Amino acid sequence: MAEWMISETALTVLVSGAVFITIITPVALVAFLVKDWKEGKLW
Amino acid sequence: MDASFLSPAVAFSLLLVFSIIWIGLGWYLGKSNRTLDDYMLAGRKVGFALATATAMATWVTSNTTMAAPQLAYQLGVWGMVGYSLGAIGLMLFAPIATRIKTILPHGYTSGDFIRLRYGVGAWRTFLIISLVYALGWLISLGMAGGVVVNALSGLDYEIGMTVILAVCVGYTMLGGLRAVIATDFIQSIIIILGLLLLAWIVIQQVGFQEIHVTLSDERPALLNLLFPAAIMFLFNNLLFGVGEIFHSNVWWSRAFAFKEGVGGKAYFIAGLMWLPIPIVAGFVALAAPSLDLSVASADMVGPLVAGKLLGTAGAVIVFIVVFSALASSLDSLLAATSDLITEDIYRGHINPTADNQQIQRVNKFIVLALGFFAWLLCLPKISTLASLLYFMGAFVASAIWPIVLGIYYGRANGTTASLAMLFGTSVGLWAYFAIGFYVAALVSCAISLAVMLLGSIVKNAEFTFDTVTNKER
């Protein structure tokens, strides 16, 4: 089987990037919720 | 590692606490439902924040939290990255959600569109595919609830499965889509925070270097970006995800429920937010070899790592995350499937003159009946039911092109759409058995496209989209 191994750096970047976006997500969701609630656009 | 990570008493207490919260919220939100639109579609004005959260949370199922680690453990980097490509389905649905709201502003279900666009034949073909898939998914989620609770705590499968189904049926019946969406928001936050905590602990206590070195020595295939099985899985999973989202009333009902101008943005951002989650969940599993864990069953690798690093606290986190993931999908599926049966079977075939009050009563009854039916089929824990979903890829992928071309291309017609779904499904199923599960959706999609294009050329039809709006109930 041919091989092309992901390096430690690439694995670190991939997972760290995913973790970073996932950290932003709940912050963004709550911020959007507060904004919608203040503007009376919740539902 | 012990057979159970939590005691049954702790597990039952956790189930009870969250059950009270979800049902309480469902009851409270149900008080503000006045009309059928309020109950079925949360008033058709759901704002961006709740829309984005519900789209993302509904797509986070127990599979995302349990199967993503399993796939990372078995297929390596491409396993978890391939799983994350399920986000493409959400993002590609964004323009379709906008278009749906424009051409069918008073619609209720995906069936409404197919009926108005293609006629009765294609509508019934589509309903069979959609309902069989929805029921299969419902049963697999119900079973997953019982299995996971039992694996984590030793609590009897029947008790765990019954409690989870009953709670989801309860708050969905009481509060309708508003309850589903509100609980989805809270559940999405819980899921993300739980996964982040686990990933952070793995990074701190094990580290990227240790994980990479151990995998290089002991399981180098998991780091191989040319791992053939993983690459094939990647493409099939992408198409399966697109097919699931494009055809399922879970996503169409949300497109109708979201405020005008919100659907496109919400689905796209939800896709971006969902994309890293399987990678974060999958990464936790890659630490298993470094921790010298004996993994008897690959789908339990996530809880095993959490339990090893955090003990009971880790098990509690996994339990809460998985319960939230299950509930956020079960409630959506119950609501959307009930909508489809109420609107397209009851009002469409049995009682076309039913008024909105009757429809709302029938809808609530069907939520209850679906829950009971799922409970009955989940009780014997027939594993083949869960594996039903594997070959449903051929069914759902056959509906992609009839839907996409039906929304945008005036020459697509009902006869061709029916044939596309039938041939796509048939050949896709043949491919499933003759070649393997990893090509079923791919073959089905390709055949369906070929039939749609050929039929659109051969049959001289021209559909004007204002017809859809004019023929709405």
Side-chain angles (χ1 to χ4, degrees):
Chain A
M1 180 171 71
E3 290 187 352
W4 184 27
M5 311 302 279
I6 186 171
S7 68
E8 182 193 325
T9 305
L11 182 65
T12 304
V13 168
L14 173 70
V15 176
S16 300
V19 168
F20 178 70
I21 295 172
T22 311
I23 289 172
I24 291 176
T25 294
V27 175
L29 283 175
V30 172
F32 295 150
L33 189 76
V34 169
K35 181 177 181 292
D36 277 352
W37 177 62
K38 283 183 177 173
E39 293 173 3
K41 292 179 185 174
L42 213 51
W43 47 21
Chain B
M1 199 72 218
D2 292 337
S4 301
F5 304 89
L6 294 175
S7 71
V10 170
F12 193 77
S13 304
L14 286 170
L15 283 178
L16 196 61
V17 164
F18 280 98
S19 299
I20 292 169
I21 294 171
W22 303 144
I23 291 179
L25 203 52
W27 169 80
Y28 175 72
L29 290 166
K31 292 196 303 177
S32 60
N33 288 334
R34 298 275 177 269
T35 66
L36 185 64
D37 278 12
D38 286 343
Y39 182 76
M40 279 177 75
L41 298 174
R44 295 186 191 268
K45 289 183 193 158
V46 178
F48 177 69
L50 290 173
T52 305
T54 188
M56 191 198 65
T58 301
W59 203 219
V60 181
T61 66
S62 57
N63 275 346
T64 319
T65 53
M66 303 288 283
Q70 176 187 348
L71 285 163
Y73 188 71
Q74 292 172 325
L75 298 178
V77 173
W78 273 145
M80 61 192 198
V81 171
Y83 204 95
S84 75
L85 290 186
I88 303 291
L90 281 176
M91 292 156 77
L92 288 177
F93 195 69
I96 292 178
T98 304
R99 180 94 172 130
I100 287 167
K101 190 79 174 175
T102 305
I103 62 175
L104 204 61
H106 305 296
Y108 284 94
T109 65
S110 48
D112 278 344
F113 173 76
I114 298 291
R115 174 178 52 81
L116 292 168
R117 176 66 179 84
Y118 284 134
V120 172
W123 177 43
R124 288 175 178 157
T125 308
F126 175 80
L127 280 178
I128 292 170
I129 289 174
S130 210
L131 285 171
V132 169
Y133 184 78
L135 292 171
W137 190 15
L138 184 61
I139 292 161
S140 77
L141 281 175
M143 284 176 57
V147 165
V148 167
V149 167
N150 175 257
L152 288 173
S153 67
L155 192 64
D156 283 345
Y157 164 81
E158 291 80 6
I159 295 176
M161 180 268 292
T162 302
V163 169
I164 290 175
L165 269 176
V167 166
C168 292
V169 165
Y171 73 78
T172 305
M173 269 184 75
L174 285 171
L177 193 62
R178 277 208 174 103
V180 169
I181 288 175
T183 53
D184 276 355
F185 188 93
I186 302 168
Q187 286 151 358
S188 67
I189 303 291
I190 290 172
I191 292 163
I192 290 169
L193 291 180
L195 286 175
L196 276 175
L197 182 60
L198 289 173
W200 184 251
I201 297 295
V202 168
I203 293 170
Q204 288 296 305
Q205 294 197 16
V206 185
F208 289 108
Q209 187 182 27
E210 171 66 28
I211 289 171
H212 194 270
V213 165
T214 307
L215 289 177
S216 299
D217 288 342
E218 296 177 22
R219 306 209 41 205
L222 299 190
L223 298 175
N224 182 12
L225 297 178
L226 297 180
F227 193 177
I231 293 174
M232 283 190 286
F233 160 76
L234 193 152
F235 285 106
N236 196 70
N237 192 57
L238 193 156
L239 273 175
F240 197 155
V242 171
E244 271 193 77
I245 290 175
F246 276 32
H247 96 278
S248 172
N249 195 48
V250 167
W251 314 99
W252 281 70
S253 61
R254 275 159 177 73
F256 292 125
F258 296 165
K259 190 178 162 67
E260 203 166 328
V262 163
K265 285 185 301 190
Y267 271 105
F268 190 79
I269 299 294
L272 286 178
M273 287 180 169
W274 189 92
L275 192 143
I277 291 176
I279 295 174
V280 174
F283 167 69
V284 170
L286 292 182
S290 302
L291 297 169
D292 288 324
L293 288 174
S294 165
V295 181
S297 176
D299 58 355
M300 291 305 294
V301 66
L304 277 171
V305 171
K308 177 79 173 180
L309 291 174
L310 282 171
T312 305
V316 169
I317 292 169
V318 169
F319 191 92
I320 294 172
V321 165
V322 174
F323 181 26
S324 298
L326 277 167
S328 70
S329 304
L330 258 173
D331 58 9
S332 301
L333 196 48
L334 282 166
T337 310
S338 175
D339 289 351
L340 200 63
I341 294 172
T342 306
E343 174 73 2
D344 291 87
I345 306 290
Y346 179 73
R347 181 145 67 174
H349 286 84
I350 298 172
N351 188 1
T353 58
D355 62 32
N356 284 351
Q357 265 193 327
Q358 272 176 292
I359 294 295
Q360 191 168 338
R361 278 199 303 270
V362 167
N363 196 314
K364 287 191 179 192
F365 172 76
I366 290 176
V367 170
L368 181 64
L370 275 172
F372 182 67
F373 175 72
W375 178 79
L376 275 178
L377 285 177
C378 288
L379 264 180
K381 205 165 97 176
I382 303 169
S383 63
T384 49
L385 279 174
S387 63
L388 171 78
L389 279 180
Y390 286 121
F391 69 74
M392 286 306 290
F395 287 78
V396 303
S398 75
I400 295 173
W401 289 110
I403 286 169
V404 172
L405 294 176
I407 285 176
Y408 291 106
Y409 184 43
R411 289 182 64 92
N413 60 80
T415 308
T416 304
S418 299
L419 290 172
M421 286 187 275
L422 284 168
F423 278 114
T425 301
S426 306
V427 182
L429 283 177
W430 168 83
Y432 174 87
F433 290 108
I435 306 171
F437 80 91
Y438 43 84
V439 296
L442 196 63
V443 168
S444 173
C445 183
I447 296 294
S448 175
L449 174 62
V451 172
M452 283 301 295
L453 290 176
L454 191 64
S456 301
I457 294 167
V458 164
K459 191 165 182 185
N460 194 16
E462 195 62 50
F463 185 85
T464 52
F465 287 91
D466 57 353
T467 313
V468 178
T469 312
N470 289 338
K471 287 197 291 186
E472 280 190 282
R473 295 191 204 281

